Amino acid sequence: MSADPHDELRTAIAGVVASDRLLIALDFDGTLAPLEDEPMDARMLPAAREAVEAVGAAPETVVALVSGRSLSDLRVIAEHRDDSPLLLAGSHGAEFWIPGEGVVTHDDDPADAALRDELRTHAEQATADLDGVWIEPKRFGFGVHTRKATAADAAEANLRVDALVSAEAPHWRRRTGHNIVEYAFRHEGKDSAVAELRARTEASAVLFAGDDVTDEDALKSLGATDLGVHVGNRPTAATLTVADIPAMAELLAVIAAERSATREENPSGERPAARQ
């Protein structure tokens, strides 16, 4: 009899499957949705959406999307409605959406917003002659997209904007991703986003999954009872690697089935619901 292809996977996820209350925190672009030349065209693959819904319906399991996208943009591309059970962390954890509560964020200094607008304009002017370079407005800064630019123009754009930000806002945080460099006056990262979501949901274990460099902060912050998952094939701090988005969807589907089966076979007392 041939071995069940999911046996190795079940061994890797056994710890989080058995946890009392599990938080599954997922990057969006490249983890659930393919990367797009037009960022706002991104949508979850059907298999990924089905798996997210299934695992979110499993007992004592909470699902959150954790993204560098602004919260408003994340809600659009995730097709997130006001009645959704999904928690959201946008702008690398600088703003949240919580079921039953809505938008949760921290106060900003008006001077930061003024500098953001000024720098964004300067970045647009500095890169206007470079084909395929696009400056994306973000609530806490901006991103320099180079997916449609040549390698030479992409390098030149990043060089120009790096110099600009270094001169005018050296205290800003710089992050790199797939064909994007982001600059922000807020210094939260996906590690702090996961920590806040863990506390808010009272999770006993966290599974975090992502595909990009910006996800490594969160992966490195996980504890012994948690599980980090990398989607792709580059070096990573994650414990488990899956090949692509369909494989990530399959992993979530297995977790949903395993947690549901475990609770049916071994029911226990209810733990507190997520704090609102």
Side-chain angles (χ1 to χ4, degrees), residues 5-250:
H6 288 153
D7 282 348
E8 185 175 346
L9 187 60
R10 289 191 178 97
T11 299
I13 65 175
V16 293
V17 164
S19 61
D20 289 338
R21 186 167 181 81
L22 176 61
L23 167 64
I24 296 180
L26 305 167
D27 170 53
F28 188 84
D29 295 286
T31 300
L32 300 173
L35 302 177
E36 300 286 351
D37 287 342
E38 297 297 335
M40 292 307 296
D41 289 344
R43 294 293 185 275
M44 286 190 215
L45 290 184
R49 178 170 294 281
E50 183 178 344
V52 166
E53 292 174 353
V55 78
E60 293 298 311
T61 308
V62 183
V63 180
L65 304 181
V66 182
S67 175
R69 303 267 199 150
S70 66
L71 186 63
S72 58
D73 285 355
L74 179 58
R75 293 200 71 193
V76 171
I77 61 176
E79 300 174 283
H80 184 268
R81 305 187 337 175
D82 287 346
D83 61 352
S84 173
L86 294 182
L87 285 74
L88 303 180
S91 300
H92 299 280
E95 49 185 347
F96 294 84
W97 193 94
I98 307 299
E101 188 172 350
V103 177
V104 175
T105 188
H106 307 292
D107 292 336
D108 299 322
D109 186 333
D112 288 328
L115 179 59
R116 172 204 64 199
D117 294 343
E118 182 179 356
L119 278 178
R120 184 188 298 155
T121 298
H122 291 173
E124 290 170 346
Q125 294 169 344
T127 59
D129 63 318
L130 301 174
D131 291 338
V133 176
W134 173 57
I135 306 300
E136 177 190 5
K138 289 179 175 283
R139 177 175 175 182
F140 303 107
F142 59 88
V144 181
H145 284 269
T146 55
R147 185 174 179 83
K148 295 194 287 184
T150 65
D153 281 351
E156 181 63 21
N158 293 334
L159 186 66
R160 293 180 188 180
V161 180
D162 277 345
L164 175 69
V165 175
S166 294
E168 300 186 36
H171 58 290
W172 277 28
R173 181 167 180 173
R174 181 186 191 273
R175 299 181 180 89
T176 59
H178 291 301
N179 301 300
I180 183 174
V181 178
E182 299 181 45
Y183 306 87
F185 62 80
R186 293 289 290 265
H187 283 248
E188 290 92 343
K190 292 187 179 181
D191 50 348
S192 62
V194 169
E196 186 162 341
L197 290 167
R198 185 198 298 268
R200 181 175 286 275
T201 60
E202 299 180 337
S204 55
V206 174
L207 181 153
F208 177 82
D211 73 305
D212 207 349
V213 176
T214 56
D215 299 311
E216 292 299 314
D217 288 342
L219 290 168
K220 292 173 183 176
S221 74
L222 299 178
T225 62
D226 303 326
L227 178 64
V229 181
H230 171 66
V231 182
N233 57 9
R234 62 167 181 75
T236 178
T239 303
L240 177 64
T241 295
V242 296
D244 49 25
I245 296 171
M248 185 67 224
E250 183 177 10

